[in-house]
Every structure is written in structure tokens, then in C-alpha cells.
Amino acid sequence: MENIVLDKFKAGQPCMGTFSHLLSAASLRVLGQTGLDYVILDLEHSPIGAEHVTELIPAARQAGLCPLVRVNGMDRGQFLKMLDAGAAGLIVPLVETVEQVQTLVSYAKFAPLGGRGYCPTVDAGWGFGPEYANGMAGYMNTANERTLLIPQCETAGCLEHIEEIVAINGVDGIFIGPFDLSIALGIPGQFDHPDHIAAVERVRKACEAAGKLCIMFCGDADAAAGYFRQGFPNVTVGIDVLTLLSGMKQTVETAKRGL
Ligand code: 3PY
Ligand code: MG
């Protein structure tokens, strides 16, 4: 189970990805040429649906991008579908409590860690992939180790309990959603506000102390460079649709200087 997000984290190497909203295998092939490590197929905030993800995951892999999926809720059925389709990890928005995260572990991880339901699927060659070298139990262990469960920290509840949440066995890391987190803090969009800076650093440190991955989201390259400097091992920068928009907008504005 290839997972460069996990491998780079374990090797202490920085890792970078972006969100995809474009619902397009062609755009994933383009992103594969940019040096990004992974793409997050976003079921929460884009027209991408579960039925599209089954086609977009192999397209991402072919493009050399590790496919993570942001699910759009805490629904067991959707968790299984995304993992069975070969998602390298699930990012889960709007979690609030320790109990919720324990339930997420029960959906996303096989026994003895959790209670993920089993079926031979494309994620390991329908039972014929190398993950089955040591039988079904071997596959289940491999899937538990190499398929990431990453709750988002973007609510007051999650922030309050972040040290406990990140320490849960079966949680592989935390993804910080700065937009919703800033809303939860009562300072929407004020990423330079001391309360936001303190919250983000608290999550980063909690992850570091637990030996877990911490992914920071931001909108542009300068912010991404800043978060790498701050010590984040992994940064998700931008959304493909916005990168297309800003790139072409800048091109049009520059070209118009000749008119
Ligand atoms: C947020 O900033 O709230 C996110 O969820 C990032 O997509
Ligand atoms: Mg959010």
C-alpha cells in the first residue's frame, strides 16, 4: 500500500499537497507534474461525490499523487467505501469530542484496533495484492498501519481536547482547518491573531509530543513556506480550482498591460 504521506513523515521529510475540487482526472494528471506529493479529494466542499472518488483515486495514483479523501461526515458507510476504493487516508471534518474520534477509529481500522468491516476490494487487489502475503490478518495489519485516519482540528471542542484526541491509538495525525478554527475562536479569517497563532501552535505541539503527523492548511505559497519554517512536517496549500483562477487572472491582468 503505497503511502508517501506516511513514508515521508516517518523519514522526517517535508510533504506537500493540495485540495482537489475540479472533479477531473485530467487536472490530477496536471497536478502530478508539479512536485506535489498528495491530493485531497474533497467530498465536504466540492461537487466530488463518493461515486467519483472510485475513479479519481486511480487517476491520482497514476499521476504519482497519494490520494487522500476528505469525507463529508462521520458516516460508517462512506468511510468503508472510501477505504475500499483505495484511499490512502481519510480526513474527517468538524470533530468535536474524544468519543466521536473513538467511533471514527472503529470505522477506519480493522480489529483489534477497531471494527472496520472486511471485503476483498481494489485497495489490495481483491485479495491478490502483496498485502496478502501473510494472509488476511497480514492485510488487516498493513491496512491499519498504512491507511491514515486524520481528524480535523477546527472546532472549540477538538481544540480543547486535542492532546487526548491525538493520543488515541488509531489516530494517525491531525489536519488543521484554519478557516473553521478561526470561526470557532470568534476571529474569522484572522490567521495572524494571537489566539489563532496560539491554537495552531498548540495543535502542532500536541501532535509532535504524540509522535503523530500534523497537517496545516493554508491558501498560498508564502503562508506554506512560513508553516514549514514553523516546523510543520506537512502542509496542504490551496485548492486546485483557486490555483487555476489566480494563475489565469494574473496572466490576463499582465497581458492587458500591453493594451
Ligand atoms: C478549514 O480551514 O476550515 C478547512 O477545513 C480547510 O479546508
Ligand atoms: Mg473546515
Side-chain angles (χ1 to χ4, degrees):
M1 282 178 181
E2 283 184 30
N3 192 331
I4 197 169
V5 172
L6 178 64
D7 292 342
K8 281 199 157 183
F9 177 59
K10 282 188 169 168
Q13 294 168 355
C15 192
M16 192 168 20
T18 193
F19 274 105
S20 185
H21 282 191
L22 279 173
L23 182 43
S24 157
S27 75
L28 297 179
R29 285 194 287 276
V30 173
L31 289 177
Q33 298 299 318
T34 62
L36 287 176
D37 299 299
Y38 65 91
V39 66
I40 305 172
L41 303 168
D42 191 4
L43 297 187
E44 188 194 19
H45 283 299
S46 87
I48 298 174
E51 67 282 15
H52 305 119
V53 167
T54 54
E55 302 301 327
L56 293 176
I57 283 175
R61 285 208 188 273
Q62 270 172 15
L65 296 168
C66 182
L68 304 180
V69 174
R70 175 158 71 179
V71 293
N72 66 359
M74 302 181 204
D75 172 57
R76 177 181 180 273
Q78 191 181 78
F79 269 54
L80 292 193
K81 228 180 230 320
M82 297 300 100
L83 294 172
D84 287 350
L90 300 182
I91 294 171
V92 190
L94 284 179
V95 305
E96 295 261 7
T97 66
V98 171
E99 293 71 26
Q100 268 176 342
V101 178
Q102 283 162 343
T103 303
L104 301 183
V105 172
S106 79
Y107 295 164
K109 302 287 181 177
F110 287 116
L113 210 46
R116 178 178 163 189
Y118 172 83
C119 182
T121 59
V122 67
D123 81 317
W126 291 274
F128 292 91
E131 299 82 2
Y132 278 88
N134 295 316
M136 189 174 149
Y139 157 71
M140 289 163 66
N141 281 339
T142 304
N144 278 359
E145 277 171 18
R146 298 195 58 79
T147 310
L148 306 176
L149 173 62
I150 305 177
Q152 276 193 243
C153 185
E154 56 179 359
T155 66
C158 187
L159 182 63
E160 193 184 335
H161 302 289
I162 190 64
E163 290 79 11
E164 207 180 332
I165 285 174
V166 75
I168 292 172
N169 199 9
V171 169
D172 298 294
I174 297 291
F175 183 103
I176 301 177
F179 284 95
D180 284 313
L181 183 60
S182 67
I183 294 170
L185 294 170
I187 43 170
Q190 294 181 49
F191 306 134
D192 290 336
H193 192 287
D195 290 354
H196 194 263
I197 291 173
V200 166
E201 185 60 359
R202 176 175 171 183
V203 181
R204 192 189 70 77
K205 280 193 170 149
C207 291
E208 201 173 70
K212 306 270 176 89
L213 174 63
C214 192
I215 307 180
M216 183 65 198
F217 174 71
C218 60
D220 64 63
D222 287 335
Y227 286 122
F228 277 130
R229 253 180 248 120
Q230 191 178 333
F232 278 90
N234 187 318
V235 177
T236 302
V237 58
I239 305 173
D240 56 3
V241 66
L242 295 181
T243 307
L244 176 65
L245 196 157
S246 62
M248 188 49 72
K249 208 167 182 318
Q250 202 182 340
T251 300
V252 169
E253 279 163 12
T254 305
K256 279 185 176 172
R257 285 191 210 138
L259 294 176

